[in-house]
Amino acid sequence: MALLKKTFPLSPVIKLLPLLLMGLLVLGGCQSTGFMLQAIQGQWEILQKKRPIEEVVQEDATPANLRERLEYVIQVREFAANSLHLPVEEAYSEYADLERPYVVWNVFAAPEFSMRSKTWCYPIAGCVAYQGYFAEQPAHEAAEALASEAFDTHVGGVPAYSTLGWFDDPVLNTFIWYDPVDLAGLLFHELAHRRLYIKGDTAFNESWATAVEQEGVQRYIQYTSGALSQNTPPLLSAYSADAINARYAERAQSREQFVALVKQTIGELEALYEEDISAENKRARKTEIIETLRTRYTELAQQRKISSGYERWFNAPINNAKLLTVANYHQWTPGLRYKIRELGDLNAFYQWSESLMDLSKEERMEVLRKLNELAQPSVASSYESETDK
């Protein structure tokens, strides 16, 4: 959804006119005029509603719990800039209440018998494996249209997105009330997109940002839970360092179980789709494989090896498009985390990551595949996704 370019401070209306013309002229047949208009209107709403955090914090009318959250964001931003070396600048220095649960609703799609994401192309973000709408109903209408063309579809609400530095993205009501550790992780993830973004490679971009997010969260926990207690923000002061670390480790292990379950199912579906059998038989086997996924989750949840918090995800409809949303965010994360540990320095990791921009997508995937094998040799070879090619 990084559609709009930052400009010099002009009047709001003048500022958006060239952006509108750019979108309509550059996209041409890639996107409809209606889609572009809703995207520009959605970004315009955010620009209109955001206000400096310092101003919101100082107002007497600001609820105490919101003030505490915004002050926490200030510390997280400082840590991201000083310790993670992320390009914070003025990002997340403002706050906007959109009065809705999500900022955008993303539409994902994949063919009925293929684990390859459908992509949409934009002038700045390149080709990505989703299409974003600033209102829920149009997203579902777009999904229904794709479903009529025999695509598996999934609509997911998104609490935050990055404009890749073309705008100073604000803190939103859609994620400000997250668990404090999750809130820090979300900010690290979105700021990571400002640090590195390769056009046309959703799986890499999301996996890379997730790797930086996970590394950032671990370092932030150490920073706030160390012997120097003055680093501990009020939101975390009620927990001991051991409790915070234990909770994060448990959730990380649960997340790894979830991703492993999804990847296993994707591998089984890929094998099925290559079989020379009728569409009717493939459809029946696809249903069985997805039901087996649900059974595996239930068994792990009963054994308390995975969080019951994923229950809603598993109880809702599951198809190729929904499975690929997980793969895109985590496909290369194990190998990228391995590379961070190998280099031992984030700036060195950033420099190495930038070298991947000079490779073709196929060459980049080969490098990442080898890193995944080093990170988890027992499972990496069993999953070679066709996502987002």
Side-chain angles (χ1 to χ4, degrees):
M1 283 300 296
L3 302 177
L4 306 176
K5 181 176 180 179
K6 183 191 294 184
T7 61
F8 293 104
L10 304 174
S11 72
V13 174
I14 294 175
K15 185 176 182 179
L16 281 182
L17 283 176
L19 300 176
L20 174 58
L21 292 174
M22 178 192 75
L24 297 181
L25 292 174
V26 176
L27 285 178
C30 296
Q31 301 290 346
S32 69
T33 301
F35 175 82
M36 281 301 303
L37 286 173
Q38 69 84 30
I40 291 172
Q41 289 169 353
Q43 185 65 46
W44 168 245
E45 177 191 9
I46 295 173
L47 292 173
Q48 286 291 89
K49 290 187 174 182
K50 67 179 186 176
R51 301 167 55 212
I53 283 179
E54 292 183 359
E55 177 182 311
V56 178
V57 166
Q58 292 173 4
E59 287 185 349
D60 293 337
T62 300
N65 56 350
L66 177 58
R67 182 179 294 110
E68 182 180 47
R69 289 271 167 167
L70 293 175
E71 290 173 342
Y72 174 73
V73 167
I74 293 173
Q75 177 174 346
V76 171
R77 289 178 70 252
E78 291 175 352
F79 179 83
N82 299 330
S83 299
L84 303 183
H85 314 294
L86 292 172
V88 177
E89 299 170 340
E90 296 303 314
Y92 303 110
S93 63
E94 297 170 297
Y95 175 70
D97 187 347
L98 303 180
E99 300 180 342
R100 59 177 187 262
Y102 299 107
V103 58
V104 294
W105 284 261
N106 278 350
V107 178
F108 305 88
E112 182 183 10
F113 299 130
S114 171
M115 299 308 299
R116 179 177 296 183
S117 298
K118 176 178 172 58
T119 59
W120 290 265
C121 297
Y122 306 94
I124 296 169
C127 296
V128 296
Y130 53 84
Q131 190 177 48
Y133 291 84
F134 283 85
E136 185 174 11
Q137 186 58 34
H140 286 287
E141 291 172 357
E144 290 171 4
L146 288 164
S148 70
E149 300 175 14
F151 281 98
D152 280 7
T153 64
H154 173 65
V155 176
V158 179
Y161 69 92
S162 173
T163 56
L164 309 180
W166 293 72
F167 279 104
D168 294 325
D169 301 314
V171 178
L172 301 174
N173 68 294
T174 54
F175 60 82
I176 189 63
W177 303 110
Y178 273 22
D179 171 273
V181 174
D182 290 342
L183 175 55
L186 183 147
L187 293 174
F188 298 153
H189 184 104
E190 300 304 332
L191 288 168
H193 283 311
R194 292 166 61 98
R195 183 64 180 78
L196 179 65
Y197 184 90
I198 299 178
K199 281 189 176 183
D201 199 340
T202 299
F204 171 79
N205 291 325
E206 296 303 341
S207 297
W208 192 86
T210 298
V212 174
E213 167 196 337
Q214 292 176 4
E215 179 68 18
V217 165
Q218 287 191 334
R219 294 187 180 204
Y220 186 63
I221 289 174
Q222 292 174 355
Y223 172 77
T224 58
S225 304
L228 300 177
S229 59
Q230 64 264 29
N231 292 331
T232 305
L235 280 176
L236 297 178
S237 61
Y239 306 96
S240 67
D242 289 342
I244 294 173
N245 281 305
R247 183 174 62 169
Y248 180 74
E250 180 180 352
R251 287 159 60 188
Q253 182 179 15
S254 183
R255 180 182 61 244
E256 289 174 2
Q257 285 276 16
F258 170 63
V259 173
L261 282 176
V262 171
K263 286 185 175 182
Q264 180 181 2
T265 299
I266 288 176
E268 292 170 355
L269 289 172
E270 285 179 327
L272 167 65
Y273 298 153
E274 292 176 357
E275 293 184 18
D276 186 17
I277 58 177
S278 68
E280 182 179 359
N281 286 337
K282 282 187 180 180
R283 202 166 285 121
R285 282 285 297 123
K286 177 181 179 180
T287 299
E288 292 174 4
I289 289 172
I290 289 173
E291 286 307 311
T292 298
L293 169 63
R294 289 193 172 97
T295 299
R296 289 169 179 158
Y297 167 72
T298 300
E299 291 173 352
L300 287 173
Q302 290 174 344
Q303 298 168 17
R304 296 189 176 182
K305 294 181 178 180
I306 190 171
S307 171
S308 60
Y310 291 107
E311 184 174 350
R312 183 177 178 182
W313 191 95
F314 283 97
N315 286 343
I318 299 174
N319 58 30
N320 296 345
K322 184 174 179 177
L323 292 168
L324 287 172
T325 64
V326 178
N328 283 337
Y329 272 75
H330 299 277
Q331 182 177 352
W332 307 120
T333 299
L336 291 167
R337 290 297 309 280
Y338 174 88
K339 192 65 178 180
I340 293 174
R341 293 192 297 272
E342 180 185 59
L343 294 172
D345 178 80
L346 276 177
N347 279 325
F349 173 70
Y350 296 155
Q351 292 175 7
W352 171 84
S353 299
E354 288 171 355
S355 71
L356 299 179
M357 300 178 70
D358 298 326
L359 304 179
S360 68
K361 188 169 184 178
E362 291 71 24
E363 291 171 334
R364 188 163 51 249
M365 288 178 65
E366 184 59 27
V367 171
L368 297 169
R369 186 178 290 113
K370 290 179 180 179
L371 282 174
N372 266 8
E373 290 173 355
L374 291 171
Q376 40 184 200
S378 63
V379 298
S381 61
S382 67
Y383 175 65
E384 296 184 359
S385 174
E386 293 291 323
T387 60
D388 192 31
K389 286 188 179 179

